[in-house]
Amino acid sequence: MSRRAATLVVANALVLVLALVGSLMPVPYVALMPGPTANTLGTNEKGQPLIRIDGRQTYNDGGNLNFTTVTYRGGPGSHIDLFTALQGWLDGDVAIVPQETIFPREQTQEQVDQENTRQMRDSQDSAEAAALHELGIKVPVRIVVDSVQKGRPAQGRLRA
């Protein structure tokens, strides 16, 4: 085997090893990308409007009011690999961010799902309250303590 052929074989073997390591090596990043959208002025599976206010006249405007979401890959219990991170950095529609900016180190996937569900519910409640306020309908105010951080002045005075 010539020296040139040996060099190519060794170089190809190194590239193959690096590709294998890169595809298996998890990195502490999360890929954020556009998620599905839904027209909130549309109808559900039963053909009923998604937004309805009892006792008030509504108007069909034929337009869209799209609810947008962000999808992520990675996170607690599901790391992305090096190639996914590199591909995301090159893709203008994907943001690669350090995992710790979104998920605290000790948080489990179940806790992430519970927090996401709570935030969605709070967002829907806030949107409903804003719409009712705009229509002149009184909305009762409710204050909820979700959690109390240890070592903060509220500890021992408030409880979730």
Side-chain angles (χ1 to χ4, degrees):
M1 180 183 294
S2 71
R3 183 177 173 141
R4 184 175 188 183
T7 302
L8 284 174
V9 168
V10 170
N12 285 332
L14 287 175
V15 167
L16 184 62
V17 167
L18 288 175
L20 184 61
V21 168
S23 68
L24 298 175
M25 188 168 101
V27 293
Y29 292 96
V30 175
L32 303 173
M33 59 205 86
T37 62
N39 179 16
T40 60
L41 298 180
T43 58
N44 63 16
E45 304 83 32
K46 298 176 183 177
Q48 299 169 331
L50 290 175
I51 299 175
R52 190 183 81 246
I53 301 174
D54 295 330
R56 298 292 173 158
Q57 184 175 356
T58 59
Y59 304 92
N60 183 6
D61 67 356
N64 286 356
L65 178 60
N66 289 334
F67 169 77
T68 59
T69 61
V70 175
T71 300
Y72 67 88
R73 287 179 59 193
S78 173
H79 297 285
I80 62 173
D81 59 48
L82 181 61
F83 285 139
T84 302
L86 292 173
Q87 182 180 8
W89 277 314
L90 298 174
D91 186 343
D93 291 335
V94 178
I96 303 295
V97 298
Q99 182 173 323
E100 295 153 4
T101 61
I102 299 176
F103 307 107
R105 287 184 191 260
E106 298 81 26
Q107 203 171 37
T108 66
Q109 186 63 47
E110 182 179 320
Q111 291 169 321
V112 169
D113 291 341
Q114 288 174 350
E115 178 65 16
N116 288 344
T117 300
R118 186 192 63 76
Q119 287 179 357
M120 175 59 80
R121 188 176 54 250
D122 289 350
S123 174
Q124 290 170 338
D125 290 346
S126 295
E128 183 179 328
L132 292 173
H133 177 75
E134 184 64 26
L135 291 171
I137 299 172
K138 296 221 183 254
V139 179
V141 176
R142 183 182 75 193
I143 299 173
V144 177
V145 176
D146 184 56
S147 63
V148 179
Q149 292 180 339
K150 293 179 182 177
R152 299 293 187 169
Q155 184 181 2
R157 296 183 179 165
L158 297 176
R159 65 174 189 252

